[in-house]
Amino acid sequence: MSLLAPPPPFPPAFNFSMLPSNLNPNDANPPWMSKGDNAWQLIAATLVGMQSVPGLIILYGGAVKKKWAVNSAFMALYAFACVLVCWVCWGYRLSFGEKLIPIWGKVDVALEQEYLFEQAFLGLFPNATMGIIDYSGGYVIHLSSGVAGFTAAYWVGPRSTKDRERFPPNNILLMLAGAGLLWMGWTGFNGGDPYAASIDASLAVLNTHVAAATSLLTWLILDLIFFGKPSVIGAVQGMITGLVAITPAAGVVQGWAAIIIGLCSGSIPWFTMMVVHKKSELLQKVDDTMAVFHTHAVAGSLGGILTGLFANPRLCYLFYGYYNKYYGFFYGLRDGKIHNGFRQMGLQLLGILFIVVVNVVMTSLICLLVQLIVPLRMSEEDMEIGDEAAHGEEAYAIWGQGDRLEKSAGFSAYNDDMITAGASRSNYNTSKSQVEMV
């Protein structure tokens, strides 16, 4: 049998009594369902969920200025809840349901027992594929989020001048813990994409971690060369760009290509962030607080282009189920299929353009619609205060028995207590100065 030939069909009259009792089908375990694959999907989904809750919550909660820690962490939490509801109400079947037009399915809920217990699509690829190689969402997730976030930042407007001039992270150790959860969660993000516990999934997981590690180290080396010190924040940025860039390629490239992708993702986004950003009037104008344009839009586009260069046709066959249809440019040159390689690169570039245009237009329309209902931007006074103005809460209570500080009701109560207790004016001023310094 040829190595590329599909396996023989499953015998229709297979004697299930030959199987161990725990593998025998029943009403809760239909014959078509693989318990192992289903278990891996549940684990992968959990790992991806943990990337956001608590991964992104503590990553972004620790990466911002103290007065915005609650707001940043809370946005990751309620966004997770909102997206989950949207996904089951219309998003899943819009993506994987019955075809309406070539790029999306019919809108419907994915909540009824009759639908949820049916056999899903084959799991090799969504029916809406248009020829672009995007193994696990480097385009539809990371490039999209980078462009959408940058566009939304344009419409919302910049932070206060004080925050733009100085915006130190409030807890780097907490940020590192979130980054670690994000990195390890990517095992499920990329490894779960074949919808099977397959050799392709194993390759995707290995490539994911190799690329992320290479990218992180590349970013650190550049920081050392040009700034003289290894930056912890820079290491996290390099990790993220590596994870983003390998996502469209994870299961369709060789390990050596994953290293090249890591080298590129640790250097090119570094260059756009450290050099291009400072010279670009547009990038300077838009207040991209978390640098998602560089870590997601640039890295996602880079990953898509490199996938078009290095995609291995054999590995593409294992994932997509079609041989000779998906061909990396360099393999096209090697195998005398130059047309296939050029075609794939053209599709990868066209995909980037399509994603950028769709996200700019749709995000702009959403922002314009939202501002008709509620303001997109807080008042200048509230932006000076931060979390307490937005939520009535602060991230850290570091004085007394949890009293709030700096323009808070807790500080006013503290003032009253000091005066009532008959403290001397000098002691009161000293204490107040200490509090303000904290």
Side-chain angles (χ1 to χ4, degrees), residues 135-186:
Y135 184 85
S136 195
Y139 278 20
V140 297
I141 297 174
H142 300 300
L143 174 57
S144 292
S145 63
V147 174
F150 188 79
T151 304
Y154 170 82
W155 288 107
V156 172
R159 292 163 291 169
S160 66
T161 303
K162 186 185 296 184
D163 281 353
R164 293 199 74 177
E165 290 174 349
R166 179 166 170 77
F167 203 75
N170 69 87
N171 195 322
I172 290 181
L173 295 181
L174 197 65
M175 183 183 72
L176 283 174
L181 284 169
L182 186 67
W183 185 348
M184 293 301 104
W186 229 284

Side-chain angles (χ1 to χ4, degrees), residues 26-74:
N26 53 43
D27 289 343
N29 299 280
W32 51 261
M33 186 182 78
S34 165
K35 289 187 176 181
D37 292 343
N38 193 44
W40 170 233
Q41 281 300 287
L42 294 173
I43 293 170
T46 302
L47 289 170
V48 172
M50 290 181 66
Q51 288 184 290
S52 294
V53 183
L56 289 181
I57 289 176
I58 58 179
L59 171 62
Y60 289 140
V64 298
K65 200 171 185 177
K66 175 178 145 330
K67 72 175 187 178
W68 292 116
V70 170
N71 184 258
S72 297
F74 188 46

